[in-house]
Amino acid sequence: MNAVYEERLAKIRAVLPQYEDERRLMHTMGVYRECMWFAKNFRLSEEDTYTVAAAALLHDITKNLSDEKAFAICKEYGVTPPEAHTVIHQYTGAPFARELFGKEIVTDAVFSAISCHTTGKADMTETDKMLFVSDFTEAGRKYRSCHDMREYLHGECDKINKNDKTALSHLLNDITKRIIGFTVTYLVEKNKKIDAGMILAWNAMVSEA
Ligand SMILES: [Fe+2]
Ligand SMILES: [Fe+2]
């Protein structure tokens, strides 16, 4: 990545510990490393590499906020609070990060990736999908399902010629769809609410496949 992008990432890294405790920072760095794995294996442009790097670093920046503060941010930015409480930080994270760092660091692509990293959405871009997947497959996640998805993704990627854009894009859709499908099933089994964004994401992946 060029010096301008590196400088922007350094600005984010410098303030992140003010918003995330050690445990969350470990997860954030895990997501960052997984996004860098995507950047390398999917041969992303410098711009897209910056997008996934910045989005990874910022994705959980509002996760430690109280519900009260989160709802206040929703109100301030005109965001409709989601039904499922666990996903509220994806909707607050993007506007919060943009206010903190400005539009040059939190570009539209970074904003988009943060704001759908937990649920997905209809019409996800490739960088949206990479953050969504990395949040699930980062090496620090100890759940069996996360481990299995990671093994599958990395194993399948090893079999692909990295010049074959179609095969890479197919794998990215495949893993995104698997994670959405797993999560929807899990939520149904646990009798938990499913965010509308996740249903839209599932429907979009079914028509793309
Ligand atoms: Fe998150
Ligand atoms: Fe996360």
Side-chain angles (χ1 to χ4, degrees):
M1 244 180 302
N2 69 40
V4 174
Y5 287 139
E6 288 292 356
E7 204 178 303
R8 291 182 195 170
L9 295 177
K11 279 186 187 162
I12 299 172
R13 283 197 192 92
V15 300
L16 216 48
Q18 289 173 34
Y19 298 94
E20 296 189 7
D21 60 22
E22 208 173 313
R23 211 181 112 252
R24 194 163 313 286
L25 274 176
M26 294 262 288
H27 162 68
T28 295
M29 293 320 293
V31 175
Y32 172 81
R33 281 190 291 273
E34 191 73 345
C35 278
M36 291 303 96
W37 175 88
F38 268 116
K40 181 169 160 257
N41 284 282
F42 283 59
R43 300 196 175 163
L44 295 189
S45 66
E46 287 221 324
E47 190 182 349
D48 285 348
T49 301
Y50 170 76
T51 298
V52 291
L57 291 175
L58 290 166
H59 82 285
D60 275 343
I61 195 164
T62 54
K63 192 143 184 187
N64 282 353
L65 291 184
S66 64
D67 273 0
E68 201 184 357
K69 276 194 186 157
F71 283 119
I73 292 178
C74 283
K75 206 172 165 202
E76 189 182 344
Y77 293 101
V79 177
T80 310
E83 281 212 46
H85 267 205
T86 45
V87 306
I88 196 165
H89 74 282
Q90 78 171 16
Y91 297 108
T92 54
F96 184 84
R98 181 166 273 179
E99 181 149 314
L100 206 56
F101 294 103
K103 219 177 162 180
E104 200 176 59
I105 288 179
V106 183
T107 60
D108 288 345
V110 172
F111 191 100
S112 170
I114 298 170
S115 56
C116 67
H117 80 264
T118 313
T119 64
K121 64 179 178 184
D123 303 322
M124 291 169 87
T125 63
E126 294 224 319
T127 50
D128 291 341
K129 289 171 190 167
M130 286 173 189
L131 178 64
F132 174 83
V133 171
S134 297
D135 194 31
F136 196 92
T137 58
E138 68 102 348
R141 291 231 193 248
K142 299 301 175 210
Y143 298 109
R144 173 96 216 186
S145 47
C146 297
H147 174 265
D148 290 353
M149 292 289 184
R150 177 186 170 80
E151 293 270 289
Y152 175 77
L153 169 65
H154 289 231
E156 291 301 304
C157 189
D158 282 347
K159 298 177 196 164
I160 295 174
N161 176 334
K162 304 302 181 289
N163 291 320
D164 188 347
K165 292 274 175 218
T166 311
L168 288 170
S169 156
H170 182 79
L171 175 61
L172 182 60
N173 282 342
D174 176 23
I175 188 72
T176 304
K177 188 180 171 195
R178 280 170 190 262
I179 292 172
I180 296 170
F182 169 84
T183 308
V184 168
T185 308
Y186 171 86
L187 293 169
V188 170
E189 279 170 4
K190 296 280 173 192
N191 199 32
K192 289 188 171 174
K193 287 180 178 172
I194 301 172
D195 188 85
M198 181 155 263
I199 304 292
L200 295 176
W202 172 255
N203 290 345
M205 294 317 295
V206 169
S207 23
E208 253 181 69

